[in-house]
Amino acid sequence: MRSSLPIRCSVLLVCFAVAPCMGPVSASAQVPTPVSVLGHNAGDDFYLADYEDTIKYFHALAAASDKIKMFTVGKSTEGRDIEIAVISSAANLARLDETKQIAGRLAHATDLNDDQAKELARTSKIIVHIDGGLHSSEVAGTQHTIALAYKLLSTQGDPEIDAILDNVILVLWPTLNPDGQDMVVHWYRQNLGTKYEVSPLPYLYQDYVGHDNNRDGYMLNMKEEQVVTKTQLEYSPEIFYCQHQTAPSPARIWIPPFSDPISSNISPYVRSWLNVIGTNMAAYLDAHHMPGAISESRFDNWYAGFTDWAHVFRNEISFFTETALYEYATPHFYTVNDFPRNYQDLRALTMYTTPWEGGWWRLKDAVDYMIGGSMSVLDLAAKNRETLLYNRYQAARDNIEHFRKEPPFAYVIGAKQTDLPEAGQLAQLMIENGLDVYASQAGFTANGVDYPAGSWVIPMDQPFSALAKELFERQRYPDALEGGTSKAIDLPYDVTGWTLPLQMGVNVDAVTDPLTSDQRAKLTKIDAVRLPAASVEGAGAVFAVSHKANASFQLVNDALKQGATVSLAEDPVKTPEGTETGAFLISGLSRSAVESLTGKYFVPAVGASAPQHTLAIRKARVGLYRPWDPAIDEGWTRWILENYGFEPKSIYNADIRSANLRSRYDAIILPDMSGRQLTDGYKIGVVPGQYAGGLGEDGIDNVREFVREGGTLIAFNRAASAIIPLLSLPVQNVIEGARSDKFFCSGALLRVETDHPDLPVNFGLSDSPVVMFQNGPAFEPLPGFHGAVLAHYPRETDPLESGLLLHPEAIEGKAAAVELAYGQGRILLFGFKPQFRGQSHATYKYFFNELYSFEHPPLPAEPVAAPVQKAPAEAPPAPARAAHQPSEAPRGPDR
């Protein structure tokens, strides 16, 4: 369980039938219409049902029909019940548990031979997942679930629907994001009929990650994604269909097939059925007079972390569609002149066979197209039930057999790690993704290495092991883009490399020889990771804790909260991990209090005498800029800081435009965002006045004054590049405005080399960390630079570790992170995302280290690049400093 590991919270899957609580249901009871319950039909102009309305209607259906049952499967981030509807014939619902069990056996190929699997496929029903989406501003999805449920339950004597109810068990999620549905609907309602009727929501529609809730598919950081995955593992659906908006203009709906590339770790049964589903959907839509379906276009599925895609590595046919959207429930009229020029001739294309000719586009149209897509999938599932079920078994069987013959035969996460809690968290993540994980006993050996007892082993001869391979291996994006072809402008759609061991700083070994019976005898399957108990060793009133474990920051922040005195060792001291400079030294707490903390966070300590040279620290007052033009990176940063006990305070435009920031904050973080988001935000008239604008000139002046007075400013990725001219910093972004034929990296893992490991900002980091580079800057100091390069890209060596990087020579030897003295304060610029989507754990320390206040040592002199390009306008900072008191890449257009 997550409670056995630091940071991540346990999410329990609660499944109980709601409908039986309402008393017996008559099969002949009249199914209520949406308008009879809600006062509106799904898709009405200017009307959106919120989550409470939606669930109210589904409960009314469950009270009237024996073909639907409601289940609560978990809690949202804000504490709402997440409910699902299961729809099928009454006979099928009576055997739901049996059908789930059979689906699980086929999905795992458990104790089955081919003949037995064929018989189960012949006699069982197929489970299909359809949902109302998770991007809450894409409003038609949730409304379509109301209409779809009503259609299935109210239609009488229709052979298509009868066949669906007889053969399919539909697991219908009204939404994957209840909190966001309410946020968006309530925002629309309050602005309806005003000039702000179609104004964008000025905050993230999932408390922490907004649009990135569809980027959390394997990491499972958010509660909603934990619930979705756990429910998928319980129901084992053959198909997972997620609704999205918006289609590429002028198409009315985007459908599979996807653009290349696609991972070879996906079963060929899944890959081929994805294409079949798309072509079948196109034909279905045409047959029902719904023109404008397009395929391929800009959507690839290379990134493994999409919530609506990660299930393919568990052999589910998992996909999405994108239906056209104007804004909310407000209709809009389109003429051909509104179309992109290359589509104005209304010419049919191979992947756009029936062009849309324009006209009114209403919410009802989007709902109808979504119902068409959903019905096509349900119809296909009903007609191909037996084949799909048997294919699910075949995919599992073939994967097991493949990894009995071909490497890797297993992955080993050794119990000897620089950061053991991180290693345990990675092993736990595999369990939560449905993989079998084993703990090793003493004497387990693989690849000639004797692993300590308690190491975690993932044998690959199991049904879902392709996911482990996808997450553990280095990604090599197909080389079709080599040389910076024009295709690089639109593709890749998302990041191209995500290798989790590299991101998390965990050593994982691929086993290259088959596991023997003796090796397997030394393995015990576990249902949850349990880290070894951590304690305090040695005598002394000062307790040394390693700086290398991320959980050490939780421990330290907890200790500070309890009144401890904490300092950093400037001299090498002994810790449980060895001898290191920068260890945390805790005093002022009893030994039993420290033992309680080590037990809580699984971080050991050593009692010792205080070294001669130390830096006393206190937790900084951290301000995190939170723009009204919402930045996803801000939400991720806030979530991470809260989990580690840094207690950040959100700084909005009005706060940052107020004077005397230094009196309120020690450190201010500018998360990744565009320069326009940072300075200008939403324009006046786009949103209500209180949400318009960005930092503005007053805000920039106040930030400048904040740093001059001794504050620490930390800027991530694009914000780091944007702040350079705003504060006239003597540093340049050497790839500013570079086209793809000069440099391209939409998201890849790059190796950097640490400079000045003796600086506190680099304490605990490795000599050559791997960072997530995603459309960020690379730096070069200019004359007047007073500071230090903290990390640089290798000289004469390609820094690429995983993903796609074109023209690495553009950043060869350039700085990846710099620290500048500025007046009495400091500015830190990171040309990457040190907290990327809650995944890049190994680089958290880059900014964690800056969130403590202490007397900082002088910065070293740094050589300056030549030739001189421009002199900075800012006056050189004072050479001596007072006490140090510190402290998105553009998302896809729709998906």
Side-chain angles (χ1 to χ4, degrees):
M1 294 179 63
R2 293 180 185 271
S3 56
S4 64
L5 291 170
I7 299 213
R8 307 185 63 170
C9 301
S10 176
V11 172
L12 300 179
L13 183 69
V14 182
C15 288
F16 60 90
V18 175
C21 300
M22 301 173 184
V25 174
S26 169
S28 61
Q30 185 172 355
V31 175
T33 63
V35 71
S36 70
V37 176
L38 304 177
H40 291 273
N41 285 312
D44 279 355
D45 287 350
F46 310 112
Y47 171 76
L48 292 173
D50 64 13
Y51 185 65
E52 288 69 30
D53 293 332
T54 305
I55 296 303
K56 176 183 177 182
Y57 181 67
F58 273 94
H59 278 262
L61 290 175
S65 173
D66 59 357
K67 296 182 179 65
I68 176 174
K69 287 186 176 180
M70 296 294 293
F71 296 88
T72 297
V73 292
K75 292 283 189 181
S76 71
T77 298
E78 293 185 352
R80 290 175 175 83
D81 285 338
I82 301 177
E83 296 194 36
I84 62 173
V86 181
I87 297 174
S88 191
S89 69
N92 288 343
L93 292 182
R95 301 177 60 188
L96 178 60
D97 289 342
E98 177 186 351
T99 304
K100 286 160 58 176
Q101 183 183 36
I102 292 171
R105 289 187 67 192
L106 290 170
H108 290 81
T110 305
D111 300 324
L112 293 174
N113 58 36
D114 290 358
D115 290 339
Q116 291 169 328
K118 286 178 182 177
E119 182 61 17
L120 288 178
R122 185 184 68 81
T123 58
S124 190
K125 308 302 179 183
I126 185 170
I127 300 176
V128 174
H129 165 115
I130 296 178
D131 62 63
L134 69 174
H135 289 160
S136 300
S137 60
E138 300 164 11
V139 296
T142 55
Q143 311 303 303
H144 120 280
T145 63
I146 295 172
L148 178 62
Y150 177 69
K151 179 181 180 72
L152 292 172
L153 297 174
S154 66
T155 305
Q156 302 292 324
D158 183 298
E160 179 186 26
I161 289 180
D162 288 346
I164 289 170
L165 294 175
D166 286 344
N167 290 281
V168 179
I169 294 177
L170 170 61
V171 181
L172 183 61
W173 295 63
T175 177
L176 302 183
N177 183 12
D179 300 343
Q181 182 180 355
D182 276 358
M183 291 181 200
V184 169
V185 171
H186 297 166
W187 174 257
Y188 180 64
R189 287 178 178 176
Q190 79 180 49
N191 293 314
L192 189 63
T194 75
K195 64 180 180 180
Y196 300 115
E197 181 172 305
V198 296
S199 67
L201 187 74
Y203 37 85
L204 298 172
Y205 52 65
Q206 198 280 353
D207 275 7
Y208 293 109
V209 299
H211 202 83
D212 264 6
N213 59 3
N214 197 33
R215 306 297 189 274
D216 196 32
Y218 58 71
M219 205 68 188
L220 310 182
N221 286 311
M222 296 297 111
K223 291 181 179 180
E224 291 81 358
E225 277 57 61
Q226 295 167 24
V227 171
V228 169
T229 298
K230 200 163 186 179
T231 306
Q232 292 308 106
L233 294 171
E234 179 191 353
Y235 280 81
S236 301
E238 278 67 36
I239 296 174
F240 182 107
Y241 177 15
C242 182
Q243 299 283 355
H244 283 265
Q245 293 177 283
T246 290
S249 177
R252 296 298 88 191
I253 185 170
W254 180 94
I255 62 177
F258 295 92
S259 295
D260 283 321
I262 190 171
S263 171
S264 296
N265 291 325
I266 300 167
S267 165
Y269 296 105
V270 173
R271 293 198 300 262
S272 56
W273 271 109
L274 285 167
N275 296 336
V276 171
I277 284 176
T279 53
N280 177 76
M281 189 178 294
Y284 190 98
L285 292 169
D286 278 346
H288 290 79
H289 312 293
M290 297 182 183
I294 194 169
S295 298
E296 291 190 348
S297 189
R298 66 187 176 211
F299 294 109
D300 70 66
N301 256 352
W302 176 253
Y303 175 55
F306 297 122
T307 299
D308 51 26
W309 180 244
H311 313 289
V312 295
F313 300 102
R314 289 185 284 268
N315 304 319
E316 294 178 21
I317 305 165
S318 184
F319 68 100
F320 65 96
T321 58
E322 298 266 359
T323 304
L325 167 72
Y326 173 56
E327 295 289 351
Y328 307 109
T330 298
H332 189 73
F333 190 87
Y334 295 88
T335 70
V336 172
N337 288 334
D338 297 317
F339 295 179
R341 181 163 297 181
N342 57 327
Y343 284 95
Q344 289 183 359
D345 60 3
L346 303 181
R347 180 165 45 92
L349 302 171
T350 301
M351 292 294 171
Y352 185 50
T353 58
T354 313
W356 186 60
E357 297 181 0
W360 280 105
W361 188 253
R362 303 178 183 277
L363 177 62
K364 178 64 162 57
D365 296 313
V367 167
D368 288 346
Y369 270 69
M370 288 183 173
I371 290 175
S374 294
M375 288 298 296
S376 79
V377 169
L378 293 170
D379 180 64
L380 178 141
K383 292 174 177 175
N384 297 275
R385 171 186 57 81
E386 188 172 340
T387 300
L388 286 163
L389 287 170
Y390 187 63
N391 282 174
R392 184 73 185 276
Y393 159 78
Q394 289 176 298
R397 177 202 65 191
D398 293 355
N399 192 72
I400 293 169
E401 289 302 315
H402 173 80
F403 286 112
R404 284 177 178 163
K405 300 173 183 176
E406 300 291 337
F409 295 97
Y411 286 102
V412 182
I413 305 173
K416 183 66 175 176
Q417 300 274 349
T418 301
D419 189 341
L420 184 60
E422 284 292 336
Q425 195 162 315
L426 180 57
Q428 179 65 26
L429 186 60
M430 295 302 101
I431 294 173
E432 292 171 5
N433 271 290
L435 278 77
D436 293 337
V437 177
Y438 295 76
S440 69
Q441 302 171 13
F444 176 78
T445 302
N447 296 341
V449 177
D450 187 11
Y451 287 93
S455 296
W456 298 285
V457 181
I458 305 166
M460 291 295 286
D461 56 346
Q462 55 176 301
F464 304 158
S465 61
L467 180 61
K469 188 169 185 288
E470 183 74 12
L471 299 182
F472 289 172
E473 69 183 2
R474 283 167 162 80
Q475 280 70 50
R476 290 290 176 252
Y477 194 86
D479 61 4
L481 301 186
E482 290 294 340
T485 67
S486 60
K487 195 174 184 181
I489 296 172
D490 298 317
L491 295 175
Y493 184 78
D494 204 89
V495 299
T496 59
W498 50 84
T499 310
L500 280 188
L502 294 177
Q503 288 202 76
M504 297 178 71
V506 175
N507 293 323
V508 178
D509 298 326
V511 177
T512 55
D513 294 321
L515 294 178
T516 66
S517 56
D518 288 344
Q519 287 173 306
R520 292 181 188 270
K522 292 183 172 63
L523 300 177
T524 302
K525 185 179 176 181
I526 59 175
D527 58 4
V529 167
R530 292 171 177 83
L531 292 170
S535 59
V536 178
E537 300 177 356
V542 176
F543 304 96
V545 173
S546 174
H547 207 114
K548 296 177 180 179
N550 281 344
S552 296
F553 291 88
Q554 290 177 290
L555 186 153
V556 165
N557 287 339
D558 204 338
L560 287 168
K561 195 170 185 178
Q562 295 181 34
T565 298
V566 181
S567 59
L568 296 172
E570 294 186 278
D571 301 324
V573 300
K574 179 183 178 182
T575 73
E577 304 303 322
T579 300
E580 64 181 85
T581 301
F584 291 108
L585 304 174
I586 301 172
S587 59
L589 291 183
S590 67
R591 186 182 184 92
S592 62
V594 175
E595 285 178 336
S596 177
L597 291 173
T598 61
K600 180 178 180 180
Y601 297 110
F602 300 95
V603 176
V606 172
S609 301
Q612 184 175 357
H613 301 103
T614 63
L615 294 171
I617 67 173
R618 63 175 177 84
K619 193 164 64 174
R621 299 168 297 169
V622 180
L624 176 62
Y625 179 53
R626 193 171 181 177
W628 291 119
D629 184 355
I632 295 170
D633 204 57
E634 178 277 326
W636 279 118
T637 307
R638 177 163 35 93
W639 178 78
I640 292 167
L641 293 178
E642 288 177 3
N643 278 321
Y644 278 89
F646 283 104
E647 302 175 313
K649 181 178 178 182
S650 294
I651 308 179
Y652 296 93
N653 290 339
D655 304 317
I656 214 159
R657 292 172 191 158
S658 300
N660 301 317
L661 286 172
R662 186 66 189 87
S663 67
R664 305 193 298 276
Y665 303 104
D666 300 310
I668 291 176
I669 299 175
L670 302 179
D672 175 61
M673 67 187 76
S674 70
R676 183 204 58 76
Q677 270 180 297
L678 184 68
T679 59
D680 301 332
Y682 286 130
K683 293 181 179 179
I684 295 174
V686 173
V687 291
Q690 65 268 37
Y691 304 113
L695 293 184
E697 292 184 7
D698 289 344
I700 294 297
D701 287 343
N702 287 339
V703 168
R704 181 182 294 109
E705 193 64 23
F706 162 79
V707 184
R708 282 174 170 163
E709 293 177 355
T712 295
L713 180 66
I714 304 166
F716 295 159
N717 213 46
R718 292 175 302 155
S721 181
I723 206 70
I724 291 172
L726 295 174
L727 297 184
S728 303
L729 301 180
V731 63
Q732 66 174 343
N733 172 13
V734 298
I735 51 175
E736 180 77 38
R739 296 172 58 88
S740 60
D741 61 343
K742 301 299 182 183
F743 180 81
F744 181 84
C745 188
S746 66
L749 299 178
L750 308 184
R751 181 77 63 180
V752 300
E753 296 177 359
T754 299
D755 297 274
H756 307 295
D758 55 331
L759 288 178
V761 65
N762 282 331
F763 283 170
L765 287 158
S766 73
D767 293 336
S768 55
V770 172
V771 303
M772 174 57 79
F773 186 102
Q774 190 182 22
N775 298 307
F779 306 113
E780 189 169 64
L782 297 174
F785 180 88
H786 180 64
V789 172
L790 304 176
H792 68 272
Y793 296 104
R795 300 174 179 89
E796 302 180 1
T797 303
D798 189 341
L800 180 65
E801 290 289 339
S802 185
L804 174 70
L805 169 65
L806 301 181
H807 306 291
E809 66 277 5
I811 60 172
E812 179 183 300
K814 304 305 181 185
V818 298
E819 177 181 3
L820 299 91
Y822 194 95
Q824 299 301 312
R826 299 180 311 129
I827 298 175
L828 290 105
L829 305 179
F830 294 103
F832 51 88
K833 290 185 174 182
Q835 42 27 319
F836 171 75
R837 293 179 183 166
Q839 298 182 25
S840 55
H841 297 195
T843 52
Y844 284 0
K845 297 181 189 70
Y846 272 119
F847 63 105
F848 283 0
N849 283 336
E850 294 306 305
L851 303 183
Y852 298 101
S853 297
F854 53 91
E855 184 77 28
H856 212 275
L859 288 170
E862 197 73 41
V864 175
V868 176
Q869 297 207 3
K870 64 178 181 178
E874 177 67 34
R881 262 189 318 148
H884 165 44
Q885 298 177 327
S887 48
E888 153 127 318
R891 71 190 189 198
D894 316 296
R895 188 180 179 207

